[in-house]
Amino acid sequence: MKVFLFDADVIIWCAKNNKLDALFEDKDIKIPEVIYEQVRYIVDVETGEEKPIQLQKYIEEGSLEVIDNPLTEEMKKVRGTYKQCSHLAELDDGEAECITLLKKRPNYSFCSGDKRAIRVLGFLQFSEQAISLEEILGGAQNIRENFTRRYKEKYLKEGSELWVQYGEW
């Protein structure tokens, strides 16, 4: 069974747009604890009010697993690999942890709307393990551009092109 890793932006957008049920339906999803901590609340930009994101039911149903797997040595190696390219920006710990997990588990796919993370996926030759939110939700309407398949493909291609120039191959 395919396992999905999500970046915080995916879960937050789905929570804001009432798409959490569709996101977690019939899927095996894992997120690092660092991402789980980032998605505990949605902050209303106008009022500053924090609204909790209810993920506990998905954990109880077994469709979401929060993993505590810091992979620090492996993360350092992965970061060292993509840092050889000055055109790639630093990733946050949650993104770096998800991408490190891809290296060890080819049946995992990572979904993010962050072009920095998507470029790194292409650079590290993990394009086959990248998936857009649009693909996961089956072509959902009114999806933000950075969650489309087209956006994913554009930045995977940029990352792959950077690999040709800067990678150790």
Side-chain angles (χ1 to χ4, degrees):
M1 179 177 205
K2 192 148 197 111
V3 175
F4 298 99
L5 301 165
F6 291 132
D7 200 354
D9 61 344
V10 173
I11 296 170
I12 292 168
W13 186 86
C14 285
K16 284 181 180 178
N17 291 279
N18 299 314
K19 295 193 183 299
L20 282 177
D21 287 340
L23 183 67
F24 289 102
E25 184 178 13
D26 297 325
K27 293 177 190 76
D28 187 4
I29 298 167
K30 299 180 187 310
I31 58 172
E33 186 150 347
V34 67
I35 289 178
Y36 181 71
E37 293 301 321
Q38 293 172 351
V39 299
R40 306 286 309 258
Y41 300 94
I42 300 171
V43 178
D44 184 311
V45 292
E46 293 178 7
T47 65
E49 178 186 343
E50 291 182 345
K51 178 183 171 189
I53 297 176
Q54 303 296 331
L55 296 176
Q56 191 60 37
K57 81 174 190 173
Y58 305 109
I59 293 170
E60 291 169 3
E61 293 170 352
S63 58
L64 173 62
E65 179 183 351
V66 179
I67 52 177
D68 183 18
N69 189 18
L71 302 168
T72 52
E73 282 305 310
E74 285 188 63
M75 278 176 55
K76 286 180 188 176
K77 287 179 188 174
V78 168
R79 282 186 160 142
T81 302
Y82 73 78
K83 280 188 171 185
Q84 59 190 299
C85 176
S86 61
H87 298 286
L88 295 172
E90 180 64 45
L91 300 180
D92 67 38
D93 287 343
E95 292 165 338
E97 188 173 337
C98 285
I99 290 172
T100 302
L101 286 166
L102 294 179
K103 185 176 180 180
K104 292 174 61 174
R105 296 178 175 90
N107 65 319
Y108 282 22
S109 291
F110 180 50
C111 180
S112 176
D114 184 336
K115 67 181 165 190
R116 297 171 310 132
I118 298 168
R119 276 190 192 118
V120 169
L121 287 169
F123 183 81
L124 295 175
Q125 306 297 290
F126 292 138
S127 295
E128 294 299 316
Q129 290 173 272
I131 190 164
S132 69
L133 182 59
E134 178 182 44
E135 292 167 300
I136 290 170
L137 296 179
Q141 298 293 328
N142 301 320
I143 200 159
R144 219 168 59 190
E145 181 189 356
N146 65 316
F147 294 129
T148 64
R149 183 172 192 247
R150 188 178 54 120
Y151 186 91
K152 175 197 77 165
E153 295 296 330
K154 175 182 178 182
Y155 291 105
L156 285 173
K157 182 179 179 198
E158 284 185 15
S160 293
E161 289 169 354
L162 289 170
W163 172 253
V164 171
Q165 293 176 331
Y166 298 96
E168 292 180 5
W169 44 279

